Amino acid sequence: MTCLTLVTGARAADRERAIAAALVPGRHTAIILEGLADANSPLVYDESDASADSRLQVIRIAPGCLCCTGHLVLRVTLHRILRRPPAQLFISLADASHLERLRASLSSAPYDALLRLSPDLAV
């Protein structure tokens, strides 16, 4: 079962630094981030670099409420990730106003059998 952590905070850079600090080296981890990469993000790496950690999968999706307008994009992304389930999954939320609705969605079928929600990481 994949451990899922929802990451909230006002600034993308802060959320990404918090995720980078929580990573366990060598552990298969997937990260879903909303929006474009900041050049200073610790989660930006060159995928063509042979030394890049292949156990880390960073996916960026268009910003939008992940329980409303971005729900379909999130579901498609989750299904792709969960084909080869990582040990840890982080989802960075640009807007946490519907956090409880998102948690409820991720706690229901089919995700209840695939994901174990951990406490949120608020920065």
Side-chain angles (χ1 to χ4, degrees), residues 29-121:
T29 303
I31 304 168
I32 299 174
L33 303 169
E34 288 185 82
L36 299 173
D38 179 336
N40 297 322
S41 172
L43 300 176
V44 173
Y45 65 96
D46 182 359
E47 291 184 19
S48 65
D49 182 2
S51 66
D53 187 354
S54 63
R55 308 282 299 161
L56 179 64
Q57 181 180 13
V58 178
I59 301 161
R60 293 198 177 266
I61 59 176
C65 181
L66 295 181
C67 77
C68 298
T69 58
H71 186 71
L72 180 60
V73 172
L74 177 62
R75 287 183 61 98
V76 169
T77 303
L78 279 174
H79 287 242
R80 287 181 179 158
I81 288 171
L82 294 173
R83 285 183 193 151
R84 289 188 38 230
Q88 178 74 48
L89 172 62
F90 292 94
I91 300 177
S92 174
L93 304 172
D95 181 6
S97 60
H98 294 158
L99 181 62
E100 289 308 313
R101 283 181 56 190
L102 181 60
R103 286 183 71 78
S105 174
L106 294 170
S107 298
S108 62
Y111 303 116
D112 60 341
L114 304 169
L115 300 172
R116 180 177 43 86
L117 273 69
S118 68
D120 299 337
L121 179 58

